[in-house]
């Protein structure tokens, strides 16, 4: 028998879950990791072979007739290698093409039997494996992470009752109410068809043309123009199931449910100017952040929240629960946190896992069911249809990342790339030749049974009048924002509509914005050098049928039960901590001669608080402090940039400060951090850099004399060696994330 150097004594080189990196906390019993391990391959210590297992002894030269002769058709090694390479691409997702994913697990806090019979929501001791993919919607596979866009938040739970996919977004509502408009929406937002410009951006005519004719999108537009669309990290954003679903308990009782994911690191964004710069400096910013956090064992965590509505209360709201452009404000139905998800392992192979994973809103398990939300209903068709072509046939459920850990038995057979070798004579049911196997499962045996919803209706193509309030919740969202966040929405609209070339589109948008909030529309108009039209020449919703009575289909405004909801904003949102700087990246600007004590003290203080200190210097290599301490430069001013960090510290040391003052990129670094409202600290001679950057007065006076003080919101300095107070203030400042009030003073 031929043996590879590291070949195990028997069987193939398979690992179990316990052997895989990051499996800490899982234990060896993790079903999905063991399942994936059946397909993992690691070439370490092995010979190179062809796909037929034949060892190759020359991978440098093709087979030729003579030294300089033509290549021979006979060269099966060359042909196999090149042919495989030629077929390595599959179509990217038609939407959500750009994504990154991670493995983890979910645990429920207490049994949810009162509400649902879903098995994975019963036992707090059970860790259900999950695979989660985050994505942007509009951009292609290689587009930047920091595009202004909705983020997909898709979770596959590998439950004992089969796979359950919660295919959500980081915003709780959607642009459209009916699936029939989805292709139009996506055609409008994707690059324009004649010149394929712009990539991963909604700031162009076709998107706003469509939106300005779709008043139902106004609530979602408020979310996408808000800072939610430019998250600081995938680990710091909420997730939502968007649609109203159903929970069904063992007794068959149904209730409505909306799903939420609440990030334990809080809810944070970057500034729009920063987002655009990150797109150049590090287009993989979110992907890298997720990857590095998991590699550093800073496992991202979210709590799963549910809003449960009794069946009898279906019609007790001033909006329709089936309308995906509406939220249920948390003030009306609180979010109950029922469990926690932890992501603790990066994929082994991007293509095999992140690219080939197939989420489907229609993958549900007993205890969960759909509602007749007309957007959800369309999605139930769409995912399987698209995956059939994206993954090349009907057997993509056999791809390791997609296959359930629950046993799978049915009479489906054959098709491209079939992996399963089904034994036996029968592939139909009922049969007698196989004793009727595989059997149908009764409800008590976890057989899925659809909720017996009563439907008694005429077949019509129409929108329910209960869906016609397109503005109330857009107004609620805008009014609920803090002043800086409102400014950001206004500026985002000025940016996006400023890129629109057709005046009529801007005008229609300004009119629609005035239906949300007059001041909002006026301020956007000011930025555009335009005026808000008092009325439009044509009906507001041009997509209504020509023979419809416009009075019946015009948007109307419902009475809102609440005026504002603090849970909708990001700044001071009561649902999230404001005292946490865990996993934040802090730049230390240093050069040779830095103040060793200051660097050591601040580094330790930040580490203790869970943040990371990284040095940025005029050059790479090892730097020497004033007392001889050595520090490795993690970045130079060429490889690091202020937009890649959460806060900046400039320690003292006369030589270090003098070198930084002579470095235009260092001055730019702190100036940009200031502009993006980040916390900045400086001590000793480091304060001089802030003076050079024009952030504090150059001359004596108050600043020069005093020791410890805050010179601007979020800018703290200490002229003397009072590191303890400085570190406290710095950490408090970072925990506030951004000091947006600086924007108000310019
Ligand atoms: C009728 C409306 C919709 C249609 C037709 C639709 C269709 C699609 C399609 C075709 C894909 C690509 C799937 C693949 O190739 O594997 C996709 C991905 C996705 N959709 Fe939708 N979608 C709709 C609405 C929504 C809504 C409302 C949400 C959020 C609640 C959503 C969330 C996602 C996510 C997160 C992905 C990416 C999944 C992944 O990471 O692979 N979609 N959608």
């Amino acid at each position: 028998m031929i043996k590879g150097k590291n070949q195990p004594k028997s069987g193939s080189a398979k690992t179990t879950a316990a052997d895989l990196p990051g499996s800490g906390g899982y234990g060896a019993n993790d079903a999905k990791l063991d399942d994936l391990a059946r397909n993992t391959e690691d070439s370490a210590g092995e010979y190179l072979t062809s796909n037929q297992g034949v060892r190759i002894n020359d991978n440098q030269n093709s087979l030729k007739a003579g030294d300089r002769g033509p290549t021979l058709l006979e060269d099966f090694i060359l042909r196999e290698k090149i042919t495989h390479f030629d077929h390595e691409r599959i179509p990217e997702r038609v939407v959500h093409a750009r994504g990154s994913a991670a493995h983890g697990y979910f645990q429920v806090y207490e049994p949810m039997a009162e509400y649902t019979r879903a098995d994975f929501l019963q036992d707090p001791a059970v860790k259900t494996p999950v695979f989660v993919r985050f994505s942007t919607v509009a951009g292609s596979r290689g587009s930047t992470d920091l595009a202004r866009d909705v983020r997909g938040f898709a979770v596959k739970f590998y439950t004992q009752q089969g796979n359950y996919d919660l295919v959500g977004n980081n915003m709780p509502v959607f642009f459209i109410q009916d699936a029939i408009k989805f292709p139009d929406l996506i055609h409008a937002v994707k690059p324009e068809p004649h010149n394929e410009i712009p990539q991963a951006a909604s700031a162009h005519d076709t998107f706003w043309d469509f939106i300005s004719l779709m008043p139902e999108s106004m609530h979602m537009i408020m979310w996408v123009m808000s800072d939610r669309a430019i998250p600081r990290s995938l680990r710091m954003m909420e997730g939502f199931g968007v649609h109203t679903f159903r929970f069904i308990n063992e007794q068959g009782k149904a209730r409505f449910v909306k799903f939420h994911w609440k990030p334990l690191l809080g809810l944070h964004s970057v500034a729009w100017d920063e987002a655009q710069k990150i797109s150049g400096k590090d287009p993989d910013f979110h992907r890298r952040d997720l990857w590095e956090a998991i590699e550093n064992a800073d496992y991202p965590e979210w709590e799963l929240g549910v809003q449960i509505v009794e069946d009898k209360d279906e019609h007790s709201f001033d909006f329709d629960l089936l309308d995906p452009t509406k939220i249920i404000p948390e003030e009306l139905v609180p979010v109950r946190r029922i469990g926690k998800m932890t992501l603790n392992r990066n994929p082994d192979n991007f293509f095999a896992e992140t690219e080939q994973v197939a989420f489907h809103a229609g993958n549900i398990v007993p205890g969960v069911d759909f509602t007749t939300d007309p957007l959800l209903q369309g999605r139930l068709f769409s995912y399987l249809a698209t995956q059939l072509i994206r993954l090349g046939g009907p057997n993509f459920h056999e791809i390791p990342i997609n296959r359930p850990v629950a046993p799978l038995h049915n009479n489906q057979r054959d098709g491209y790339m079939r992996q399963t070798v089904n034994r036996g004579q029968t592939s139909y049911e009922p049969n007698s030749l196989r004793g009727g196997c595989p059997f149908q499962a009764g409800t008590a045996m976890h057989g899925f049974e659809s909720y017996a919803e009563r439907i008694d209706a005429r077949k019509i193509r129409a929108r329910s009048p209960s869906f016609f309030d397109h503005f109330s919740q857009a107004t609620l969202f805008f009014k609920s924002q803090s002043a800086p966040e409102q400014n950001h929405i206004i500026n985002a609209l000025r940016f996006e509509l400023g890129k629109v070339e057709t005046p009529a589109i801007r005008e229609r948008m300004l009119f629609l914005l005035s239906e949300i909030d007059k001041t909002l529309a006026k301020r956007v108009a000011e930025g555009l050098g335009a005026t808000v039209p008092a009325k439009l020449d044509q009906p507001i919703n041009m997509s209504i049928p020509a023979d419809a009575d416009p009075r019946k289909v015009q948007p109307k405004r419902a009475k809102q039960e609440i005026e504002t909801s603090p849970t909708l904003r990001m700044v001071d949102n009561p649902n999230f901590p404001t005292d946490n700087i865990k996993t934040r990246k802090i730049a230390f600007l240093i050069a040779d001669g830095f103040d060793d004590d200051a660097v050591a003290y601040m580094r330790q203080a930040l580490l203790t608080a869970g943040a990371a200190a990284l040095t940025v210097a005029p050059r790479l290599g090892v730097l020497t402090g004033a007392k001889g301490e050595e520090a490795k430069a993690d970045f130079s001013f060429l490889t690091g940039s202020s937009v890649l960090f959460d806060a900046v510290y400039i320690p003292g040391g006369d030589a270090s400060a003098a070198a930084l003052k002579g470095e235009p990129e260092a001055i730019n670094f702190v100036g940009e951090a200031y502009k993006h409202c980040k916390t900045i600290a400086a001590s000793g001679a480091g304060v001089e850099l802030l003076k050079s950057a024009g952030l504090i007065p150059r001359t004596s006076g108050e600043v020069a004399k005093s020791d410890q003080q805050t010179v601007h919101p979020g800018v703290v300095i200490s002229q003397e060696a009072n590191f303890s107070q400085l570190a406290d203030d710095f950490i408090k400042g970072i925990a506030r994330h951004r000091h947006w009030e600086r924007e108000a003073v310019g």
Side-chain angles (χ1 to χ4, degrees):
M1 182 179 151
I2 306 176
K3 283 206 166 200
K5 269 191 272 168
N6 287 350
Q7 197 156 328
K9 288 192 187 72
S10 64
S12 55
K14 301 288 184 257
T15 43
T16 67
D19 301 324
L20 292 170
S23 64
Y26 266 89
N29 62 349
D30 181 89
K32 189 60 197 171
L33 285 184
D34 279 338
D35 175 59
L36 286 172
R38 282 160 49 200
N39 290 79
T40 54
E41 185 271 344
D42 182 344
S43 303
E46 301 291 345
Y47 288 115
L48 179 73
T49 73
S50 74
N51 280 340
Q52 308 307 318
V54 175
R55 287 183 183 171
I56 294 172
N57 86 341
D58 185 347
N59 191 33
Q60 320 306 321
N61 301 294
S62 51
L63 188 67
K64 299 183 207 72
D67 278 354
R68 304 175 62 241
T71 303
L72 298 180
L73 192 59
E74 177 191 319
D75 190 349
F76 66 97
I77 293 174
L78 169 77
R79 279 189 287 117
E80 181 198 82
K81 184 175 176 182
I82 291 208
T83 308
H84 191 277
F85 171 76
D86 289 344
H87 294 80
E88 278 174 4
R89 292 289 170 271
I90 63 170
E92 65 174 34
R93 286 168 178 80
V94 68
V95 281
H96 295 264
R98 169 80 183 170
S100 0
H103 294 273
Y105 62 91
F106 172 80
Q107 269 180 298
V108 72
Y109 289 147
E110 51 186 347
M112 293 297 290
E114 185 186 346
Y115 302 103
T116 174
R117 63 194 187 98
D119 173 69
F120 77 106
L121 294 176
Q122 306 308 332
D123 184 353
V126 169
K127 291 179 172 180
T128 300
V130 297
F131 188 66
V132 182
R133 183 174 180 272
F134 303 103
S135 48
T136 51
V137 176
S140 298
R141 242 194 82 173
S143 57
T144 171
D145 281 345
L146 262 291
R148 175 175 293 285
D149 201 349
V150 195
R151 298 299 183 288
F153 193 130
V155 181
K156 191 180 281 293
F157 296 86
Y158 301 93
T159 86
Q160 294 299 318
Q161 291 176 313
N163 288 351
Y164 170 48
D165 293 354
L166 183 50
V167 195
N169 281 340
N170 76 330
M171 298 178 191
V173 287
F174 204 64
F175 295 94
I176 49 170
Q177 295 174 324
D178 192 307
I180 202 164
K181 300 310 297 168
F182 191 75
D184 297 302
L185 166 73
I186 300 303
H187 288 173
V189 72
K190 284 269 184 181
E192 299 193 3
H194 58 310
N195 56 11
E196 218 190 29
I197 298 175
Q199 179 57 244
S202 51
H204 58 110
D205 279 47
T206 57
F207 178 69
W208 289 101
D209 185 26
F210 176 79
I211 293 298
S212 66
L213 298 168
M214 294 290 288
E216 70 201 53
S217 63
M218 284 309 114
H219 187 196
M220 181 65 167
I221 285 298
M222 288 295 99
W223 284 83
V224 198
M225 293 300 116
S226 80
D227 295 343
R228 302 262 183 165
I230 38 174
R232 155 65 182 85
S233 160
L234 301 170
R235 304 174 289 127
M236 298 171 196
M237 61 184 203
E238 283 184 281
F240 303 91
V242 177
H243 312 280
T244 304
F245 290 88
R246 279 199 168 86
F247 263 165
I248 320 285
N249 69 11
E250 200 64 60
Q251 293 71 43
K253 183 172 168 48
R255 293 177 177 88
F256 294 101
V257 59
K258 286 231 186 232
F259 294 106
H260 298 241
W261 290 108
K262 304 282 188 191
L264 294 191
L265 286 176
L267 200 55
H268 300 295
S269 67
V270 298
W272 176 231
D273 176 66
E274 191 184 0
Q276 293 174 85
K277 288 174 175 156
I278 293 172
S279 291
K281 297 277 183 187
D282 185 5
D284 305 304
F285 186 74
H286 283 155
R287 177 177 286 187
R288 191 186 309 283
D289 170 90
L290 180 66
W291 179 275
E292 287 180 353
I294 293 174
E295 291 300 300
N296 293 337
D298 288 325
Y299 300 135
E301 294 173 320
W302 286 262
E303 285 184 314
L304 178 65
V306 290
Q307 285 177 299
I308 294 178
V309 175
E310 295 293 332
D311 220 28
K312 66 176 174 44
D313 296 331
E314 178 176 0
H315 300 293
S316 62
F317 301 96
D318 48 24
F319 51 87
D320 195 325
L321 281 184
L322 302 183
D323 176 354
T325 67
K326 303 296 183 295
I327 56 163
I328 309 178
E330 293 189 29
E331 288 75 8
L332 302 186
V333 179
V335 175
R336 175 172 165 193
R337 301 189 184 204
I338 64 166
K340 193 169 79 173
M341 177 169 77
T342 306
L343 299 184
N344 67 351
R345 192 170 77 86
N346 280 315
D348 284 321
N349 183 285
F350 186 90
F351 179 83
E353 302 176 77
T354 310
E355 195 61 19
Q356 291 201 112
V357 68
F359 294 94
H360 177 14
N363 288 348
I364 53 171
V365 287
V368 182
D369 214 329
F370 313 121
T371 59
T372 53
D373 169 341
L375 186 69
L376 174 60
Q377 295 280 314
R379 293 181 74 195
L380 299 181
F381 166 77
S382 176
Y383 290 77
L384 187 53
T386 196
Q387 284 150 7
L388 278 170
I389 190 149
R390 180 167 76 80
L391 297 166
N395 287 318
F396 61 83
H397 62 281
E398 294 187 334
I399 296 173
I401 194 66
N402 293 325
R403 73 186 166 216
V405 295
L408 185 165
H409 302 285
N410 59 37
N411 292 312
Q412 294 168 28
R413 292 288 186 276
D414 309 347
Y416 285 112
M417 306 297 160
R418 183 69 173 180
Q419 310 280 305
T420 310
V421 181
N422 298 101
R423 287 203 183 123
Q425 185 183 4
T426 62
S427 53
Y428 55 88
E429 192 277 339
N431 66 64
S432 65
L433 296 176
R434 210 156 206 225
C437 293
F439 303 116
Q440 295 178 124
T443 316
M445 303 310 295
H446 304 282
F448 182 86
E449 199 185 353
S450 286
Y451 175 60
E453 182 180 1
R454 188 186 171 85
I455 310 253
D456 180 10
R458 280 186 304 124
K459 188 166 66 180
I460 52 166
R461 244 181 226 286
R463 204 70 63 95
S464 165
S466 57
F467 278 40
F468 281 160
D469 173 14
H470 302 326
F471 299 113
S472 302
Q473 288 205 350
T475 308
L476 171 69
F477 182 81
F478 184 70
K479 287 214 165 119
S480 301
Q481 304 304 302
S482 63
E485 288 170 291
Q486 288 190 342
N487 289 337
H488 296 170
I489 293 176
I490 289 161
N491 281 336
L493 283 160
R494 286 174 174 175
F495 174 90
E496 297 267 322
L497 296 175
K499 297 266 186 180
V500 165
E501 288 171 10
T502 311
I505 297 176
R506 286 188 189 169
E507 201 167 282
R508 278 200 302 271
M509 268 318 299
L510 288 172
F511 179 79
L512 286 177
L513 293 177
S514 72
E515 294 288 309
I516 298 172
D517 186 278
K518 300 281 177 248
T519 316
L520 162 72
K522 191 165 157 285
R523 290 189 55 201
V524 174
E526 276 163 16
L528 297 174
T531 47
V532 183
K535 67 179 185 58
L536 293 179
D537 296 340
Q538 289 174 306
I540 196 171
N541 187 344
M542 286 174 51
S543 60
I544 62 170
D547 55 357
D549 177 349
R551 283 163 309 176
K552 287 194 184 148
V553 289
Q554 286 304 306
K556 61 171 197 261
R557 185 178 279 277
K559 193 173 92 25
Q560 268 298 125
E561 280 186 59
I562 52 168
E563 295 266 303
T564 58
S565 168
T567 63
L568 298 178
R569 58 178 177 242
M570 298 180 80
V571 174
D572 295 331
N573 183 316
N575 283 332
F576 299 100
T578 48
D579 57 353
N580 184 342
I581 68 161
K582 281 189 189 142
T583 78
R584 295 315 190 97
K585 287 186 175 168
I586 318 303
F588 280 32
L589 305 194
I590 57 169
D592 281 319
F594 62 83
D595 179 341
D596 318 53
D597 296 339
V599 167
Y601 190 94
M602 192 61 95
R603 186 191 290 276
Q604 191 51 49
L606 291 169
L607 271 179
T608 308
L614 297 152
T615 49
V616 186
R619 59 163 174 82
L620 292 177
V622 175
L623 303 158
T624 311
K627 290 186 184 164
E629 283 294 323
E630 292 195 332
K632 184 178 144 283
D634 296 303
F635 298 91
S636 71
F637 286 110
L638 280 177
T639 62
S641 163
S642 109
V643 296
L644 306 178
F645 298 92
D646 291 291
V648 189
Y649 173 50
I650 309 113
D654 291 341
S656 173
L660 293 174
K661 273 171 67 180
E663 177 70 57
E665 284 305 323
I667 294 171
N668 188 36
F669 198 108
V670 285
E672 207 165 52
Y674 183 84
K675 180 178 177 192
H676 298 146
C677 303
K678 295 176 183 175
T679 308
I680 301 173
S683 58
V687 175
E688 294 302 310
L689 187 66
L690 301 190
K691 291 183 188 168
S692 296
L695 300 186
I696 52 177
R698 278 170 185 282
T699 48
S700 53
E702 286 307 301
V703 168
K705 269 191 258 142
S706 99
D707 172 29
Q708 172 68 32
Q709 62 171 287
T710 299
V711 284
H712 292 293
V715 181
V716 288
I717 60 167
S718 171
Q719 306 259 1
E720 291 162 17
N722 185 0
F723 302 136
S724 154
Q725 182 65 44
L726 184 72
D728 278 359
D729 289 349
F730 191 36
I731 288 170
K732 274 195 206 114
I734 303 168
R736 285 208 51 213
H737 182 62
R738 295 299 167 92
H739 304 272
W740 299 122
E741 61 271 37
R742 274 191 219 147
E743 291 175 331
V745 291

